Amino acid sequence: MKTLNLGILAHVDAGKTSLTERLLHSAGVIDSPGSVDAGNTRTDTLALERQRGITIRSAVVSFAVAGTTVNLIDTPGHPDFIAEVERVLGVLDGAVLVVSAVEGVQAQTRVLARTLHRLGIPTLFFVNKVDRAGADPDRVLRQLAERLTPDVVALGRVDAAGTPAARWVPHPPGDPGHHARLVDLLTAYDDALLAAYVADERAVTPDRLRRALTAQTGRARVHPVLAGSAMTGAGVDDLIDAVTALLPATAGDDRAPLSGTVFKVERGPAGEKLAYARIFAGTVRVRDRIRHGDGREARVTALGVFDGGDATPVDAAGAGRIVRLHGMAGVRVGDVLGVPPDRPAARRHFAPPTLETVVEPLRPADRPALHAALTELAEQDPLINLRQDDRRQEIAVSLYGEVQKEVIEATLADEYGVPVTFRETTTVCVERVVGVGAAVEWIGKDPNPFLGTVGLRVEPGPLGSGVEFRLGIELGSMPLAFLKAVEETVRETLRQGLRGWAVVDCVVTLTHGGYWARQSHAHGVFDKSMSSTAGDFRNLTPLVLMTALTRAGTRVHEPVHRFRLDLPADLLGAVLPVLAGLGAATRTSILRGTSYLIEGEVPAGRVHALEQRLPGLTRGEGTMEAEFDHYRPVRGPAPSRPRWDHDPLHRKEYLLAVARRVTGRSAR
């Protein structure tokens, strides 16, 4: 049986989870579809998801149809939980992007569509809620073509839109209008089809067009559009047929070396780790020892695959399957299982979090429990990005928005019994290197107290390149463990630069390296005072790096969002001064009938304030889309990270804390 790993994506409240329930019902997996309002859906299993009626964590269910097992991955629609979508994208064979027939294309719809297009993931559009009052599928189809991609084609029409009797009617194979639209769209990407059509229009039969549509959909060139209602079931059977006929099922070699990727980690009822992974090649078996992450190994104690809904225990699973692994105690989201997959390397598809807040326990005695709980949550969501101030015993977490903060607060209280409070949310800036700086500390020479020589040069790197570590010495001139210790510590140290922000887009080159080889006394006892260890390099590297960074200098950059604001034309004069007061820069303003479309940029820290003021400014008629666009140099005095000190004592404590985190033991 073939396997198709399918993602269901949408803007929040487009009906994505309800559609998942209806698909399971139509496929015979469940007797009746669950309801988001009733809190009994198969994929929203967290108590908080059911209370709030939103998806917070991705979930996997499955159904079988027409000889294909479809692993269905339901993802969050709220932008605060975009990190969950981030992790799922790398394991998909295809996607269904759900759009509401009432609200149409929304901010998150545009973000998701651009990302799916950029990654080349075959995608169908499903226009949901055609039975709702105000539904206008034709308007939404035009929006899809205008705002997302012109390469869309409707496979049918909606009758009685906006009423409970709304239904989806597929175009018959011989429909002349549909035939002409398919020819126009498909010949743009198929020269052979175009030549056949020019030579003899009759040679391009409906069957040939269907084969061409399947091929081009599978290559993510064109995007078929269907419509219906997850509540009534209208159009859902046709969607299932389109998914299995038009989206490419996975292929893989069960006999090849194991290759997979972990995209989700959660805790089981007994607190044990459960890892969800896509197997791209090879076979995983119970009791196998699997290499993962940076070379660690773990034994699989139990294994599940998704058949007929939930995970079913099995002894082995082959290529193409999504599996749930037990026994992987040290596994992390993003870990490669076995050898790296034969596909583009995983990378960030969405913008990083641009907000941060300090978490404090209401009961001081809960501080250790808070740290343990946040560490577990960070395993499930790495973009929470914990930052600990050892001097003040404070922990900060990164955020996408205020809703995510509320969810973290409720999770800590309900699941871990740790009530917390948050400080005011602040914007996360970054530091970029502006010059070239170098420093070196020599072994055996004051003031270097460590048994190692480290020289580092820091210089700017290309935008978006992150931190690149290079060797300026011969690879065999130092033990590999020492080189690895230097690189790990460089990356850890640059999480907080001269003003406390992460240093990005730079190149760090190891220019000097030296060590004392293992030495013993005459009686053969190892003498640490005469022999270099990796700990010497972990302790020395932060001191050298920060000296080089100080000489190079950094400049603080703040995150900027691109916004798109649609408001009544008569309110333009009242809104523009407010935008200016919030630091927004208007780039274009276009009059379209009775409304103005304004596009521009606004500092990320002001987006929430703009969203809060928008209803009052526009009589509730204004709509806004905003998403991260870029970082720009801060104008005026450069801000330091809140509660970040520059005194030498704090800097020394911080650098030693870096060494402790990297080495896992106390620095000397």
Side-chain angles (χ1 to χ4, degrees):
M1 182 176 283
K2 298 182 294 184
T3 301
L4 172 63
N5 296 304
L6 179 71
I8 305 291
L9 296 84
H11 185 98
V12 66
D13 290 335
K16 165 184 50 59
T17 298
S18 297
L19 178 61
T20 299
E21 290 292 310
R22 181 61 67 172
L23 288 168
L24 293 176
H25 176 255
S26 296
V29 174
I30 55 179
D31 295 332
S32 60
S35 166
V36 173
D37 293 335
N40 60 355
T41 60
R42 293 291 290 270
T43 54
D44 287 346
T45 56
L46 297 177
L48 200 56
E49 291 178 315
R50 293 178 171 178
Q51 291 168 12
R52 289 177 170 265
I54 61 173
T55 300
I56 297 172
R57 297 277 183 245
S58 59
V60 184
V61 291
S62 73
F63 61 87
V65 61
T68 300
T69 295
V70 179
N71 289 323
L72 201 63
I73 308 178
D74 183 20
T75 62
H78 197 288
D80 280 15
F81 308 106
I82 194 67
E84 283 291 314
V85 183
E86 170 102 51
R87 293 186 280 276
V88 167
L89 289 175
V91 305
L92 297 182
D93 300 311
V96 173
L97 184 54
V98 185
V99 185
S100 169
V102 179
E103 288 81 10
V105 172
Q106 297 171 277
Q108 190 76 342
T109 318
R110 294 163 64 93
V111 173
L112 294 170
R114 283 198 297 268
T115 305
L116 291 167
H117 176 74
R118 186 169 66 250
L119 297 177
I121 296 176
T123 302
L124 307 180
F125 291 112
F126 185 76
V127 181
N128 192 26
K129 301 185 179 182
V130 297
D131 57 323
R132 287 264 307 274
D136 189 346
D138 292 335
R139 171 179 57 84
V140 176
L141 182 62
R142 291 193 298 272
Q143 288 182 350
L144 294 175
E146 293 169 359
R147 301 185 184 181
L148 303 184
T149 171
D151 299 322
V152 295
V153 59
L155 301 186
R157 70 177 193 279
V158 177
D159 282 352
T163 73
R167 64 191 185 99
W168 170 253
V169 181
H171 292 309
D175 181 88
H178 180 55
H179 187 92
R181 286 189 293 272
L182 281 176
V183 168
D184 287 344
L185 179 61
L186 298 176
T187 53
Y189 296 106
D190 189 334
D191 291 341
L193 184 66
L194 176 60
Y197 182 77
V198 171
D200 183 0
E201 295 182 10
R202 294 171 297 179
V204 181
T205 63
D207 285 344
R208 182 166 183 178
L209 282 180
R210 184 71 175 185
R211 291 194 299 271
L213 178 64
T214 300
Q216 294 192 30
T217 301
R219 293 195 293 269
R221 293 280 182 83
V222 302
H223 306 284
V225 181
L226 299 93
S229 168
M231 299 305 294
T232 68
V236 173
D237 287 341
D238 295 286
L239 175 62
I240 292 176
D241 291 341
V243 163
T244 55
L246 299 176
L247 296 180
T250 187
D253 184 356
D254 291 347
R255 293 168 295 181
L258 178 65
S259 177
T261 300
V262 175
F263 66 91
K264 176 181 177 179
V265 172
E266 65 180 18
R267 295 279 174 172
E272 75 280 14
K273 271 190 183 180
L274 305 176
Y276 292 73
R278 161 77 185 269
I279 305 301
F280 293 100
T283 299
V284 59
R285 299 175 178 84
V286 176
R287 292 183 294 278
D288 277 355
R289 290 194 66 85
I290 297 179
R291 183 178 297 273
H292 65 94
D294 55 2
R296 293 162 289 164
E297 284 192 351
R299 186 182 299 279
V300 178
T301 59
L303 178 66
V305 299
F306 292 86
D307 276 323
D310 295 328
T312 302
V314 294
D315 292 327
R321 304 307 298 263
I322 286 180
V323 298
R324 187 169 69 188
L325 302 167
H326 299 245
M328 311 281 288
V331 74
R332 301 172 183 169
V333 170
D335 276 2
V336 169
L337 305 180
V339 300
D342 184 19
R343 57 168 48 196
R347 59 186 177 86
R348 178 160 289 167
H349 309 306
F350 300 107
T354 57
L355 303 174
E356 182 181 74
T357 183
V358 171
V359 189
E360 296 181 323
L362 289 178
R363 301 184 297 253
D366 285 342
R367 195 170 296 278
L370 172 62
H371 182 271
L374 286 173
T375 300
E376 279 195 12
L377 292 180
E379 290 174 350
Q380 301 172 26
D381 184 356
L383 291 184
I384 284 180
N385 189 27
L386 300 184
R387 180 178 65 86
Q388 183 168 345
D389 186 326
D390 293 319
R391 183 184 181 191
R392 293 193 176 91
Q393 294 296 300
E394 293 176 350
I395 302 176
V397 297
S398 299
L399 301 169
Y400 278 101
E402 295 298 315
V403 173
Q404 187 184 11
K405 184 201 296 186
E406 295 170 10
V407 167
I408 291 174
E409 179 181 12
T411 301
L412 290 172
D414 297 343
E415 297 185 17
Y416 296 93
V418 181
V420 298
T421 184
F422 294 90
R423 296 214 189 120
E424 182 181 357
T425 301
T426 57
T427 304
V428 177
C429 298
V430 298
E431 295 182 46
R432 286 200 170 104
V433 178
V434 295
V436 178
V440 62
E441 290 283 349
W442 301 95
I443 190 170
K445 292 187 178 180
D446 289 335
N448 180 9
F450 304 109
L451 302 186
T453 294
V454 173
L456 296 170
R457 183 175 68 250
V458 181
E459 55 194 311
L463 291 181
S465 62
V467 175
E468 181 182 356
F469 181 78
R470 296 176 180 173
L471 289 181
I473 62 175
E474 292 186 11
L475 184 59
S477 61
M478 285 209 312
L480 188 60
F482 294 175
L483 296 176
K484 184 177 180 180
V486 173
E487 180 177 1
E488 288 178 349
T489 311
V490 163
R491 297 186 184 281
E492 179 72 19
T493 304
L494 291 179
R495 290 175 60 184
Q496 293 183 337
L498 302 181
R499 292 190 171 273
W501 309 107
V503 181
V504 299
D505 304 338
C506 67
V507 177
V508 180
T509 304
L510 179 63
T511 58
H512 299 79
Y515 68 102
W516 284 350
R518 184 181 180 92
Q519 300 181 51
S520 303
H521 293 288
H523 47 72
V525 177
F526 170 64
D527 188 351
K528 169 63 182 68
S529 67
M530 302 166 58
S531 310
S532 302
T533 68
D536 289 303
F537 291 91
R538 292 189 179 100
N539 292 329
L540 179 58
T541 297
L543 305 175
V544 176
L545 179 58
M546 295 308 288
T547 300
L549 191 65
T550 301
R551 292 170 179 170
T554 65
R555 186 170 184 181
V556 178
H557 288 62
E558 65 177 346
V560 176
H561 283 228
R562 181 174 62 251
F563 73 87
R564 178 187 176 101
L565 183 59
D566 202 330
L567 73 159
D570 62 308
L571 297 177
L572 179 66
V575 171
L576 288 179
V578 175
L579 292 175
L582 292 172
T586 301
R587 301 303 183 199
T588 61
S589 57
I590 303 172
L591 180 63
R592 299 192 308 183
T594 60
S595 65
Y596 260 103
L597 177 64
I598 303 174
E599 294 183 332
E601 298 176 350
V602 61
R606 302 297 185 89
V607 171
H608 185 59
L610 179 56
E611 290 173 337
Q612 288 183 314
R613 297 191 63 177
L614 186 62
L617 287 170
T618 63
R619 301 189 296 262
E621 300 177 44
T623 61
M624 188 180 81
E625 302 173 8
E627 60 181 299
F628 172 83
D629 189 62
H630 64 281
Y631 286 95
R632 72 180 182 195
V634 171
R635 299 161 186 170
S640 297
R641 200 164 205 158
R643 302 179 70 80
W644 171 258
D645 291 339
H646 295 277
D647 63 90
L649 177 61
H650 186 208
R651 176 51 57 84
K652 180 180 178 181
E653 290 178 351
Y654 162 64
L655 296 177
L656 291 177
V658 167
R660 285 194 293 272
R661 284 198 295 272
V662 173
T663 193
R665 60 180 184 270
S666 297
R668 70 179 191 178

